[in-house]
Every structure is written in C-alpha cells, then in structure tokens.
C-alpha cells in the first residue's frame, strides 16, 4: 500500500498531476459557476474582507445590527461588534414564515433501522420544550451544559436549546470514557449533563448513563442529569439529581422566546487534543461562527432546498457542530442523520441509506472511504446512487487512490469532490474547492476560500517558494475562529500565536504547488490523526504511565492503511515487572478506559529504555522510524545512549 511510509506517501502526492475541472452539468446550475465567478468573489473579499463578511452576515436575522465588523487586538478578535442575534432563531424560527415551515429539517435513521422525519416546525417545538426544561433545572445564560448523547435528533435539539437561551454547550463524543468525560465536565464547570440510557453501535448498546454516573461522581459542579430514553435498557436513576427527558418536556411550555445574544456571547466549548496531556476547551462564540458556517455550508456544498445533505460526522466532533447542525440548519437544508456504525448490519448500510433517502450531498472522512474501498466496489454497486451530486471529505489528507475510487465508484464520475481543510479551532472550512468553480487535484484541498488569508511559511513567517514545504498559517482573523481556550488565554496565545510571530499557526505542514494549490502534509506537532480524530501523544502517554506497572511510555504515530495513523506505544516497565502478551492487552484496555476506544494503541512494544537526547527529551523521530518498520536513517548524534538503539532494533527481530 502506497502510504506505508510517510515519505513515500508525500512523494506520491507530489507527483499527482491530474486536474479535474468541475463537470459541465454541475457548473450549469452551481451557486458559484466557473472560474471567473470565483475570482470575482475572491477579489471582492481581497479588496475589503470587512465588506465581504458584512454581506455574508446580512443573510442572517439580527435583533440588533453590528457597529463594527472586526475588532482585532492580536491575538484576540471580536466580530460583528455590538450586534445581537440568536443561533436557534436563525436555524429554526427564521424558516417558519416561509415554505420551509413544513420541510424536513432532519431525516434520521437509527442503527436498528427505524426512521424519523422532523420538520422545521416540529424541531422548533422540540427545541422550545427542551429549552424550557433546562430553564426549569436552573440553567441560566452563560451556564455550561455537557451533552453526551448518541447520534439522535435530540443531540441537535439539546444543542439548539442551549443556544436558544444562551447556555454554553460542551458536547462530548459518546465514545469517550467516563474518565475523559469527567475531566471535560469539570474543566467547563457544567451544571447539567444531558445523556441517554444508551445508544446503538455495532448491534450493541453503549451504556452511556453508566459512564455519566461514574463521571459525575467526581464532578461536584453537576446539579442535574437529564436522561433521554433511547434503548430502554436498565439504568440507575438517582432521585433528585436525575430527570427523564420525556417527563421534563411533558411538563414544559412550548413557548420559549429566543434570547437576543451579543455577537460575542460564548456558544460552545469543544475539547480537542493539543501537544500537552491536557485536552483544551476550544471556545467558539455566536455571530461570527454562524456567519461563516452558514456561508461555507451554502457555497462549499452548493446547497439547495431540494437537497438531502448527509454529513456522516458525529455531533461529538466539530464537523458535527458546524456541518451537521448549525451550518445546514441556518441555510434551511434537509439533514440526514444516522445513529450507528457504517458496516452494521451489512457493509452496504451507507449505500442503502443513500438510495432510500435519496441523499444528494455526501460528506465523510478519508478513513471511511478507505474502509469502503477495501471492502470492494460490489457493496456500493448494489445500490442506486444516482441521487448523489456532490461529495466531500474532511479530517486528513486523502490519498489519490481513495480519491479516485470515491469519485468513480460512489460519485459515478459525475460528482465534484470538495476536499475541505479546517480544524476544531477554525470553526469553519478555510481551504476547499468551490465545487462549480475550482478544478480539483486528487489529494489537494486546493485554495483558500474567499476572505481567508492562508499561506505556507518558514519559521520566521516568510512565505516559502512554491513547491517547498513549510508551516500552514493564517494571516488575518476570520469570523468563525476560536476566541480562546476556555479559562486559559495564555495557552491560547502560546499554542496558536507564538510559534510564528503574528500569525495563526495551524500545527500542520503544507506545500503549495506551481498553481498555488495547497497540499496538506499532516501534523508537525505531537498530535496524531487517527481515523480523522485528533489525539495527543502526551495524553496517551500519561494514560499509560497511570498504570501501576508502567515506568515510562512514548507514543508515536505509525502510518496505517485505513486509519491514516495508528497509535504505537513504547513502554518501559517498573522494576520486577515482566512483559507479557496479557500485559500488552491490559495496557491497551487501560488506555481505552482512560480516554476512549479511539485511543487504544494498535501496537505496544516493551523496551528496557527509551532513546533520549542528552537533555532527556525522548527522540520520537527514532521511535517513529522503528514503529514504521523502517531502519533508522536520520541523525542520531544527539542520542545519549547508543546501546538503547541497538536494543530497540534487536527487540524488532
Ligand atoms: C486537523 C484538524 C475539521 C474537522 C475534522 C478534524 C487535519 C482536516 C483535512 C484535509 C488534510 C486535514 C489537519 C488539521 N485535516 N481536514 N481536508 N486535508 N488534513 O478536526 O480534529 O480539529 O483536526 O485535521 O491536520 O490540522 P480536528
């Protein structure tokens, strides 16, 4: 497989020369049609980015118009200063006066196979009921609410209910362990946790409420837990603290005016991994976030009222926030949402749903595409996928082989592919084709969107020549950018604005080709990208050393055909402890329990010492080369003890 070795994968990307102009049939009715139209937008945004974002902002409903577009006191930005709006009002109420009133907002399918369709009017009602239920529990403006739910419509309801009353939501991916959940609840100081008795995944029930009980036992800030009945399984209900969702909403009024909120009112916290062991709470605020997610949803996905739009991301990740809930509902789209695992009960589950619900825009991750590619083309070919007209990818660089398969087998050769680059921190897509206007190259996210000043630079901030690699940065603020890290302005400054003076550093390496196209080369910090999910090496290491037998651990990423990167851990044991296959298994489980199944190492190697520099820094590069199966080629002159290397290489054999 071509991406076994990172150097090789990059050179494959560098050699990729194919150029696909947008299909003529697509351009004919595209919202941005043709190169000239794109360049006009780009030029307008370049002349005055304030005017460009002002006109995007006017697409929304405001209760008070902003005085100033951008207030930039580096590195702190305020957008649409003095304005007031409400996100739920824009995503719901605004659509009720016109033809979207009775249009499907959400079409949902549970893993066991049941379906639900919820119109905008119905969704509005559900959100009002739940918002009043939250108020009943004492939730006030700016209070934090943790949401730990499966992919059910109520996840969107809970998020929108928070934004309706100005509460700040923190959605925690339901695959995270009780321990990870507790850490996030405590950091945000959440007053209420919204969960379900369980959710369906791979034919089994994930016992969410048990994890919440364990987490909340160590989170004194939590006053109430709301439980959605999803699976009907046995759970413990703690009198006084726990409340059933259906009981609360049965008593609630459906009259809940949307609270007018300041443009910079905090909307949500979303935890993501950085280069230290402690997850960081990325803070997004209201107006700028919605302006840009709505704009990008409309133009990157070229959305129309007749589309059925399916983004396969879970609401636990930023993609689920921006491109399942807020962006698509703001533009009045019909969202398709699926609860469960992609291959359950059969490997053609996704394609069966595309066929039955006539999905027209489909947005997923390269890791999923590679999984499907390996299963073979028969599964998609069993289904009529002719409703699809546009495909998207996000989360990691897509290898050209997967790109071509996606285009030919899923898209039938007629659908443009938008490879969208962005991050939890950016809030919205920054680099992507406009599908009716940007010729695509397999593996490249192409060009920055209008209004986005991205570049590839060296350590001093100087642009590198076309063709050379460097750091991916953004020069000027954009409306949906993170405002800070929850409770830690210093870390915000340090992690994003101090690596390269005056510029936002993304943590990614990139290269621009002769046409100025961006090729993302992946993370250059201590962050792994496993199946499109961000994990910090230090977070996994601290989980490992949390085990009583472990003295020291070093975690690196190893290229993996399906996951993109897999977690490889080097572990030294405390004196008197002996390595064994059982202990390996125990340590893998230990990590899964501490963080979640996504962090479970694919590989653990025991060693009696780790390669270190004289100053005691672990030489990850050497470990990476070992984990990748290659010989150690790089510079080893700073290595303290050469014998370690020899032993590590021997362990291999
Ligand atoms: C990191 C951000 C944004 C939603 C999903 C992940 C990588 C993201 C692409 C792409 C190459 C990509 C980057 C980025 N990434 N999209 N289209 N091509 N790499 O969000 O967990 O915040 O991770 O994902 O390395 O920095 P996230």
């Amino acid at each position: 497989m071509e991406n076994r070795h990172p150097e090789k994968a990059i050179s494959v990307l560098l050699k990729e020369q194919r150029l696909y102009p947008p299909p003529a049939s697509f351009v004919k009715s595209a919202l941005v049609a043709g190169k000239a139209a794109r360049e006009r937008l780009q030029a307008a945004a370049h002349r005055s980015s304030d005017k460009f974002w002002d006109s995007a902002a006017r697409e929304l409903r405001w209760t008070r118009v902003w005085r100033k577009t951008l207030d930039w006191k580096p590195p702190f930005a305020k957008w649409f200063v003095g304005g007031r709006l409400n996100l739920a009002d824009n995503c719901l109420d605004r659509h009720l006066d016109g033809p979207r009133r009775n249009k499907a907002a959400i079409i949902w399918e549970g893993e066991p196979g049941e379906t639900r369709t919820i119109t905008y009017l119905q969704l509005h009602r559900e959100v009002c009921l739940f918002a009043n239920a939250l108020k009943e529990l004492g939730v006030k403006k700016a209070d934090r609410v943790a949401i730990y739910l499966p992919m059910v419509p109520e996840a969107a309801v809970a998020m929108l209910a928070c934004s309706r009353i100005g509460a700040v939501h923190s959605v925690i991916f339901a695959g995270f362990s009780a321990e990870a959940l507790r850490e996030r609840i405590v950091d945000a100081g959440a007053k209420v946790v919204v969960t379900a008795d369980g959710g369906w995944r791979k034919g089994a029930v994930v016992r969410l409420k048990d994890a919440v009980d364990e987490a909340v036992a160590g989170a004194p800030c939590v006053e109430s837990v709301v439980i959605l009945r999803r699976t009907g399984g046995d759970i413990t209900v703690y009198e006084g603290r726990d409340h059933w969702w259906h009981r609360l909403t049965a008593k609630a009024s459906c009259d809940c005016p949307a609270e007018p909120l300041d443009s910079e009112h905090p909307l949500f916290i979303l935890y993501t991994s950085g280069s230290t062991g402690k997850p960081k709470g990325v803070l997004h605020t209201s107006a700028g976030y919605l302006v840009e997610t709505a704009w990008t949803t409309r133009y990157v996905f070229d959305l129309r009222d007749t589309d059925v739009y399916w983004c396969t991301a879970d609401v636990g990740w930023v993609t689920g926030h921006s491109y399942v809930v807020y962006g698509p509902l703001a533009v009045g789209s019909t969202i398709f949402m699926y609860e469960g695992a992609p291959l359950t009960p059969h490997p053609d589950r996704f394609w069966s749903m595309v066929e039955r619900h006539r999905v027209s825009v489909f947005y997923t991750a390269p890791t999923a595409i590679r999984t499907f590619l390996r299963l073979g083309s028969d599964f998609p070919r069993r289904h009529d996928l002719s409703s699809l007209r546009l495909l998207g990818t996000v989360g990691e660089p897509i290898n050209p082989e997967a790109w071509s398969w996606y285009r030919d087998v899923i898209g039938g050769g007629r659908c443009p592919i938008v490879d969208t680059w962005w991050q939890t921190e950016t809030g919205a897509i920054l680099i992507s084709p406009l599908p009716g206007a940007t010729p695509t190259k397999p593996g490249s996210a192409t060009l920055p969107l209008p209004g986005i000043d991205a570049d590839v630079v060296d350590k001093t901030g100087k642009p590198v020549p076309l063709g050379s690699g460097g750091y991916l940065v953004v020069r000027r603020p954009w409306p949906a950018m993170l405002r800070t890290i929850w409770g830690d302005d210093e870390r915000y400054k340090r992690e994003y604005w101090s690596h390269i003076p005056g510029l936002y550093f993304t943590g990614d390496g990139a290269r621009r080709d002769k046409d100025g196209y961006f090729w993302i080369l992946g993370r250059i910090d201590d962050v792994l990208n496993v199946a499109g999910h961000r994990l910090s090496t230090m977070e996994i290491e601290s989980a490992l050393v949390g085990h009583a037998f472990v003295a020291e651990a070093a975690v690196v990423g190893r290229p993996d055909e399906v996951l993109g990167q897999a977690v490889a851990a080097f572990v030294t044991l405390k004196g008197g402890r002996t390595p064994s296959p059982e202990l390996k298994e125990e340590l893998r489980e230990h990590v899964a329990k501490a963080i979640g199944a996504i962090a479970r190492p694919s590989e653990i190697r025991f060693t009696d010492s780790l390669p270190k520099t004289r100053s005691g820094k672990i030489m990850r590069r050497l470990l990476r080369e070992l984990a990748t199966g290659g010989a150690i080629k790089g510079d080893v002159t700073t290595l303290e003890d050469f014998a370690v290397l020899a032993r590590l290489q021997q362990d291999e054999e």
Side-chain angles (χ1 to χ4, degrees):
M1 184 82 183
E2 62 188 29
N3 58 358
R4 259 271 165 255
H5 299 286
E7 324 80 59
K8 229 165 126 196
I10 290 168
S11 71
V12 168
L13 282 179
L14 298 185
K15 275 196 255 115
E16 182 59 54
Q17 294 287 341
R18 285 173 294 170
L19 186 74
Y20 293 90
S25 56
F26 189 93
V27 179
K28 244 192 351 230
S29 56
L31 292 179
V32 182
K35 191 168 176 225
R38 179 169 61 84
E39 285 173 352
R40 269 197 305 278
L41 271 176
Q42 215 95 34
H46 191 71
R47 266 195 312 278
S48 166
S49 88
D50 279 13
K51 276 198 190 132
F52 176 79
W53 291 118
D54 277 351
S55 79
R58 277 194 292 270
E59 303 280 313
L60 300 180
R61 183 152 86 178
W62 296 76
T63 39
R64 196 166 78 196
V65 172
W66 61 101
R67 280 196 317 275
K68 192 171 175 205
T69 311
L70 169 65
D71 173 15
W72 179 223
K73 295 199 178 66
F76 297 99
K78 290 185 181 146
W79 282 87
F80 308 108
V81 182
R84 274 197 195 152
L85 51 57
N86 182 284
L87 272 87
D89 174 66
N90 273 281
C91 292
L92 302 168
D93 309 48
R94 192 162 56 108
H95 304 311
L96 301 185
D97 303 331
R100 288 178 184 147
R101 184 180 175 84
N102 299 309
K103 172 184 173 169
I106 300 178
I107 300 173
W108 173 82
E109 196 164 308
E111 194 185 77
E114 70 273 53
T115 62
R116 281 164 72 187
T117 300
I118 302 167
T119 66
Y120 272 92
L121 186 66
Q122 291 167 332
L123 187 60
H124 174 263
R125 183 185 158 82
E126 294 301 319
V127 167
C128 289
L129 290 171
F130 195 64
N132 278 330
L134 288 175
K135 283 196 212 162
E136 199 55 40
L137 296 175
V139 175
K140 302 209 164 46
K141 206 164 137 176
D143 282 349
R144 275 80 59 210
V145 173
I147 299 176
Y148 187 67
L149 283 171
M151 274 300 278
V152 289
E154 284 78 4
V157 171
M159 291 162 77
L160 290 160
C162 288
S163 55
R164 192 167 191 86
I165 61 176
V168 181
H169 59 70
S170 165
V171 183
I172 296 130
F173 174 55
F176 276 123
S177 67
E179 181 48 34
L181 175 62
R182 185 198 57 78
E183 188 179 9
R184 288 157 175 76
I185 290 174
V186 170
D187 187 78
K191 201 170 186 178
V192 172
V193 181
V194 183
T195 190
D197 49 0
W200 287 100
R201 184 90 198 164
K202 296 188 184 165
V205 170
V206 183
R207 297 187 57 87
L208 298 175
K209 178 60 166 56
D210 292 354
V212 169
D213 290 342
E214 199 183 323
V216 170
C221 52
V222 175
E223 292 170 10
S224 326
V225 173
V226 181
I227 321 154
L228 175 76
R229 181 175 281 154
R230 163 68 189 122
T231 56
D234 259 354
I235 56 160
T236 316
V237 176
Y238 292 89
E239 253 351 283
R241 186 197 76 183
D242 294 357
H243 308 265
W244 284 105
W245 177 303
H246 58 273
R247 297 241 174 94
L248 288 176
T249 50
K251 287 188 301 206
S253 145
C254 63
D255 178 24
C256 178
E259 182 81 23
L261 299 170
D262 187 86
S263 290
E264 286 297 333
H265 186 76
L267 173 66
F268 66 82
I269 302 168
L270 184 59
Y271 287 86
T272 189
S273 297
S275 41
T276 73
K278 190 177 173 317
K280 43 190 181 188
V282 167
L283 181 73
H284 283 288
T285 57
S286 300
Y289 174 80
L290 193 65
V291 167
E292 196 172 346
T293 52
W295 194 93
T296 49
T297 302
R298 187 190 305 281
Y299 293 102
V300 172
F301 300 110
D302 191 63
L303 281 188
R304 316 309 165 75
D305 266 310
T306 45
D307 277 313
V308 175
Y309 163 88
W310 182 15
C311 165
T312 67
D314 191 282
V315 285
W317 310 108
V318 73
T319 313
H321 287 60
S322 303
Y323 298 108
V324 175
V325 179
Y326 289 113
L329 292 176
V331 302
S333 189
T334 294
I335 301 160
F336 176 66
M337 197 190 230
Y338 168 58
E339 175 186 35
L343 310 180
T344 305
H346 298 296
D348 64 347
R349 177 68 188 261
F350 266 30
W351 318 123
S352 148
M353 292 190 292
V354 168
E355 176 174 7
R356 282 183 288 110
H357 300 288
R358 307 310 288 154
V359 172
S360 55
V361 176
F362 179 70
Y363 186 33
T364 196
T367 185
I369 300 166
R370 289 192 297 267
T371 303
F372 293 127
L373 182 155
R374 277 164 47 121
L375 289 166
S377 306
D378 276 359
F379 293 110
R381 291 217 166 106
R382 272 179 213 165
H383 296 277
D384 173 8
L385 305 181
S386 62
S387 56
L388 291 172
R389 63 180 197 89
L390 176 64
L391 303 175
T393 85
V394 62
E396 51 177 313
I398 181 165
N399 47 312
E401 184 197 7
W403 194 97
S404 300
W405 183 85
Y406 195 31
R407 180 180 181 276
D408 297 340
V409 178
I410 305 304
R414 68 180 182 279
C415 306
I417 296 179
V418 287
D419 177 347
T420 62
W421 179 91
W422 60 296
Q423 313 177 289
T424 305
E425 292 87 345
T426 69
I429 298 168
L430 299 194
I431 305 178
S432 166
L434 290 170
T438 316
T440 53
K441 301 183 188 187
S444 169
T446 76
L447 300 165
L449 290 171
I452 302 302
D453 195 357
D455 204 349
V456 180
V457 302
D458 65 16
K459 275 210 170 90
T460 67
K462 213 164 100 269
V464 297
L466 294 182
S468 314
Y471 303 100
L472 179 64
V473 296
V474 188
R475 292 184 184 286
R476 270 182 301 123
W478 61 100
M481 73 186 243
L482 80 163
R483 296 305 193 257
T484 190
I485 290 174
W486 180 255
D488 201 344
D489 285 350
E490 285 312 310
R491 190 171 175 193
Y492 165 72
K493 288 188 204 162
R494 196 169 62 240
E495 294 221 1
Y496 302 105
W497 298 93
S498 65
H499 290 266
I500 299 157
L503 306 179
Y504 171 82
F505 176 47
T506 61
D508 281 353
R511 184 186 67 91
R512 295 175 69 195
D513 67 16
K514 61 179 185 346
D515 302 319
Y517 274 41
F518 284 68
W519 297 78
I520 313 298
L521 305 174
R523 304 290 306 193
I524 57 172
D525 51 11
D526 289 328
V527 170
L528 305 182
N529 188 330
V530 178
H533 298 316
R534 238 160 99 172
L535 295 169
S536 113
T537 52
M538 297 217 335
E539 209 176 338
I540 305 174
E541 285 162 7
S542 63
L544 282 166
V545 295
H547 188 281
F549 291 7
V550 175
E552 217 178 12
V555 165
V556 294
R558 159 166 76 64
D560 181 275
E561 282 177 26
V562 172
L563 302 173
Q565 274 187 312
V567 176
F570 292 81
V571 171
T572 62
L573 295 176
K574 287 186 181 154
R577 303 296 177 186
T578 27
S580 69
E582 293 73 37
L583 183 55
K584 255 186 206 179
E585 211 29 60
E586 192 178 316
L587 291 177
R588 294 177 71 235
E589 274 322 300
H590 179 77
V591 174
K593 191 158 184 327
I595 304 173
I598 43 166
R600 185 188 283 123
S602 296
E603 185 183 338
I604 289 186
R605 285 204 212 172
F606 294 115
T607 166
D608 61 357
S609 41
L610 293 167
K612 289 189 186 158
T613 61
R614 235 144 276 175
S615 59
K617 256 186 101 174
I618 294 172
M619 295 183 75
R620 286 167 202 289
R621 181 177 50 77
L622 302 186
L623 294 173
R624 228 167 5 240
E625 284 169 6
L626 276 171
T628 308
I632 293 183
K633 295 184 292 284
D635 181 23
V636 292
T637 47
T638 52
L639 184 66
E640 167 76 354
D641 176 7
F642 283 90
V644 171
L645 205 64
R647 283 197 300 275
L648 273 165
Q649 271 167 323
Q650 259 163 25
D651 288 348
E652 244 318 82
E653 280 133 34

